[in-house]
Amino acid sequence: MNKYVTLNHGSGGKLSHELIREVFARRFGMTDPLTDSATVQNKGMMNAVTTDSYVVDPLFFPGGNIGKLAVCGTVNDLAVSGAYPEYIAVSFIIEEGFPVSDLEVIAESMASEASKAGVRIVTGDTKVVDKGKCDKIFITTAGTGYIKPRLEHIATGKRIKPGDKLIINGPLGNHAIAVLGARNNLSFSSPVISDCASLNHMIHKTLDECDEIHFMRDLTRGGLAAVLNELKSIAKAGMVVNEVSIPVDDPVKGVCEVLGFDPLYLANEGKVLIVAGEEEHLKVLEILKSCKEGTKPAIIGEIVTDERNLVILSTSVGGKRIIDMPAGVQLPRIC
């Protein structure tokens, strides 16, 4: 372990996992797999519980703000565990001098997004700190939902097997680049809008119509690369991913080429990786296409038998390279 916490510990990559496992999980008695939501038995019903904090900079960006982000992130963490989100608790740490008008916009966007997602914000807390002791506003949420018995395997990934297909519901990197543009007042030839959205309706339409969904994870910090590396540890298997199949919008691709970013490692707030059985992967693709959150869905690869448990990218020029867990952070304060 490093002697001090750095921004890289918040990247969703190697240092984040090290910090979580060595400082927190070991002391709190948490065991693998460490998923976006904990699953617990309560009176015969499996429930999902999640918590998250939001420190995005800037607070307002094309396609959303910190309030919408907080609700979407909480809903999605529950939904990818196979849960039906129900209730959210929210707490605010607000810096002295923060405009009440901005706070009203943030609260209104949270209420609106919760209504769209079909969840209720039922309790919360507010703290105000001295000017300079907080960067404008930080939001922490907790969420709960229930899991139907037929979906209890989703969070564990225990049904994943070679031949399963890897599917994403749309282009990568829009959220990260939208926030980057707003943070640095960049102007793009084509607007880049954050993909921030609650995915529970799309996810549950897929789960209701398919029996061969073996795993899901939303592609937030660390992006697709981080999730694929988490998945290989859960599945104890390898993966082959086809670069030409991974959708990336042209404006995002252009920014990445200029600034040296890799879209595979960029944060998203409206994208999910679905691991589906061979028999139903085309059906999953069609369901995603029927949903507004399923823009440009794609089958990007598959689970393979590999004793080394590597994630291999078949590149657009015909080569192969290993997709490793991100070591650090490309863009801090992204969610």
Side-chain angles (χ1 to χ4, degrees), residues 278-298:
E278 288 184 90
E279 301 82 4
E280 287 193 332
H281 71 280
L282 294 177
K283 183 178 180 181
V284 171
L285 202 64
E286 290 305 311
I287 294 170
L288 295 179
K289 288 178 180 178
S290 72
C291 301
K292 64 179 181 179
E293 301 87 4
T295 57
K296 303 178 186 176

Side-chain angles (χ1 to χ4, degrees), residues 65-68 71 104-114:
N65 60 57
I66 191 173
K68 178 183 179 183
V71 173
E104 289 175 334
V105 172
I106 290 168
E108 184 60 39
S109 69
M110 296 181 76
S112 175
E113 191 60 33

Side-chain angles (χ1 to χ4, degrees), residues 233-275:
S233 299
I234 293 171
K236 301 294 189 293
M239 277 157 272
V240 173
V241 178
N242 301 311
E243 186 175 32
V244 295
S245 300
I246 300 173
V248 181
D249 288 339
D250 286 339
V252 173
K253 192 179 299 182
V255 174
C256 288
E257 289 173 353
V258 170
L259 298 180
F261 294 141
D262 186 338
L264 300 184
Y265 292 84
L266 290 178
N268 312 270
E269 289 296 341
K271 296 298 179 290
V272 59
L273 174 73
I274 298 175
V275 180

Side-chain angles (χ1 to χ4, degrees), residues 3 28 30 39 58 71 79 112 119 156 165 184 195 265 328 334:
K3 195 171 182 179
F28 297 162
M30 298 174 179
T39 54
V71 173
S112 175
V119 300
T156 67
K165 306 301 181 184
N184 295 283
D195 61 347
Y265 292 84
I334 210 72

